[in-house]
Amino acid sequence: MTDDKDVLRDVWFGRIPTCFTLYQDEITEREAEPYYLLLPRVSYLTLVTDKVKKHFEKVMRQEDISEIWFEYEGTPLKWHYPIGLLFDLLASSSALPWNITVHFKSFPEKDLLHCPSKDVIEAHFMSCVKEADALKHKSQVINEMQKKDHKQLWMGLQNDRFDQFWAINRKLMEYPAEENGFRYIPFRIYQTTTERPFIRQLFRPVATDDQLHTLGDLLKEVCPSAVAPEDGEKKNQVRIHGIEPVLETPLQWLREHLSHPDNFLHIRIIPQPAD
């Protein structure tokens, strides 16, 4: 039987085969060959694309190089969303490899945040971790950690070191046994059918009668359109880390095993693909 650490490790090492190609209108000194990479689902594009940037800069004129950005089928890719979430939202029904277009000019100011350095990514990541702990533990755990612990969390993610990251992150997953779960579940629900970036609200993992809330309970309260009626047709897919968990799965278990490194449970809802 698979133990908890095996689940966490499998989630961490999930990869997406990806083909990067240079935008056709970019001016190059010679032909730009595609670049292939296995992207880690739990990381951020701007953390793992240094090799992509170096590959294409070799064929560019230096005066034409500005801030790099990526798009998929006309949609700019938000670097502050985890890679797996971007793929699940935009391309999960597409054939692999995931085809991403690389740009070095015409930065889409209205669609993307600038990311001039990895310090910006670190600040965003730690802000999410702190927000999640405020929901789970009233910030008590993250505030009791030393600065070196915060740094180890970040370096574990940046360097793709599972054990380094989880040596610290496990503290953020603990709670008193008598409480059966966290204070609130840090989650974000994303839909492709709305312009709203995501849904979030306070939701407890345990009901007033001490029964564990399930994924279905969360969706029925927060996003009822995502749940098919008992006698109705299934219209949506609900996915976390590329898998479709059963709605009866306890939220607390999902939170402990399928959260991203930022300590949020990122839930993606898209229309059910046509057969």
Side-chain angles (χ1 to χ4, degrees):
M1 184 174 180
T2 301
D3 65 23
D4 288 356
K5 195 162 186 179
D6 287 337
V7 175
L8 296 173
R9 192 177 293 275
D10 287 344
V11 168
W12 181 277
F13 288 106
R15 298 291 188 265
I16 302 170
T18 306
C19 174
F20 291 88
T21 55
L22 190 64
Y23 183 56
Q24 61 182 5
D25 287 351
E26 297 280 8
I27 299 173
T28 61
E29 294 181 338
R30 62 181 186 274
E31 185 177 357
E33 296 292 332
Y35 190 85
Y36 293 87
L37 199 63
L38 288 173
L39 292 179
R41 293 184 63 94
V42 300
S43 192
Y44 301 99
L45 274 171
T46 39
L47 264 190
V48 296
T49 50
D50 283 350
K51 293 179 180 178
V52 174
K53 185 176 181 180
K54 290 177 182 177
H55 172 79
F56 289 112
E57 281 183 341
K58 292 176 183 176
V59 302
M60 300 279 296
R61 298 185 309 187
Q62 288 303 307
E63 61 268 27
D64 292 329
I65 297 174
S66 57
E67 186 171 353
I68 191 172
W69 59 281
F70 306 95
E71 58 109 335
Y72 171 71
E73 293 190 347
T75 300
L77 298 178
K78 294 178 170 61
W79 65 261
H80 60 289
Y81 280 16
I83 291 170
L85 173 63
L86 288 171
F87 177 79
D88 291 344
L89 276 171
L90 302 172
S92 59
S93 60
S94 303
L96 293 173
W98 186 17
N99 291 302
I100 290 179
T101 302
V102 180
H103 296 259
F104 282 97
K105 59 184 180 183
S106 303
F107 190 90
E109 303 279 350
K110 294 182 179 180
D111 299 307
L112 298 181
L113 301 173
H114 285 283
C115 185
S117 71
K118 289 182 180 177
D119 291 342
V120 175
I121 316 171
E122 180 181 2
H124 166 74
F125 169 72
M126 288 308 304
S127 175
C128 291
V129 173
K130 291 174 181 178
E131 181 183 346
D133 196 56
L135 293 168
K136 290 184 295 182
H137 307 115
K138 298 183 180 180
S139 300
Q140 292 174 354
V141 177
I142 196 73
N143 287 343
E144 289 174 1
M145 289 181 179
Q146 298 180 32
K147 184 171 286 188
K148 67 180 180 63
D149 297 325
H150 294 183
K151 200 66 179 180
Q152 183 171 330
L153 273 176
W154 166 246
M155 295 305 294
L157 175 63
Q158 178 177 291
N159 298 328
D160 197 20
R161 300 287 178 83
F162 172 83
D163 291 325
Q164 181 183 18
F165 176 84
W166 273 98
I168 302 300
N169 198 63
R170 61 177 178 77
K171 301 174 186 177
L172 294 165
M173 293 296 173
E174 295 172 351
Y175 54 87
E178 65 272 14
E179 294 184 8
N180 294 323
F182 301 127
R183 181 166 161 260
Y184 294 108
I185 295 290
F187 73 90
R188 292 175 180 174
I189 294 176
Y190 305 78
Q191 299 170 279
T192 57
T193 55
T194 176
E195 292 185 1
R196 186 177 179 182
F198 50 77
I199 299 171
R200 63 180 175 184
Q201 68 181 53
L202 298 179
F203 194 87
R204 295 186 183 275
V206 183
T208 52
D209 60 0
D210 289 333
Q211 293 295 309
L212 290 176
H213 275 141
T214 65
L215 175 60
D217 294 330
L218 172 68
L219 294 175
K220 286 173 185 175
E221 177 168 328
V222 177
C223 190
S225 62
V227 182
E230 291 184 6
D231 57 348
E233 181 184 358
K234 179 180 176 182
K235 295 183 179 180
N236 293 288
Q237 278 189 348
V238 178
R239 288 185 176 257
I240 305 173
H241 283 297
I243 64 173
E244 191 167 7
V246 296
L247 297 185
E248 292 75 24
T249 308
L251 263 181
Q252 182 64 36
W253 187 94
L254 289 172
R255 174 64 193 82
E256 292 176 42
H257 296 84
L258 296 186
S259 289
H260 275 73
D262 64 6
N263 275 245
F264 272 85
L265 196 61
H266 293 280
I267 303 168
R268 172 280 252 171
I269 298 172
I270 65 167
Q272 179 77 3
D275 293 333

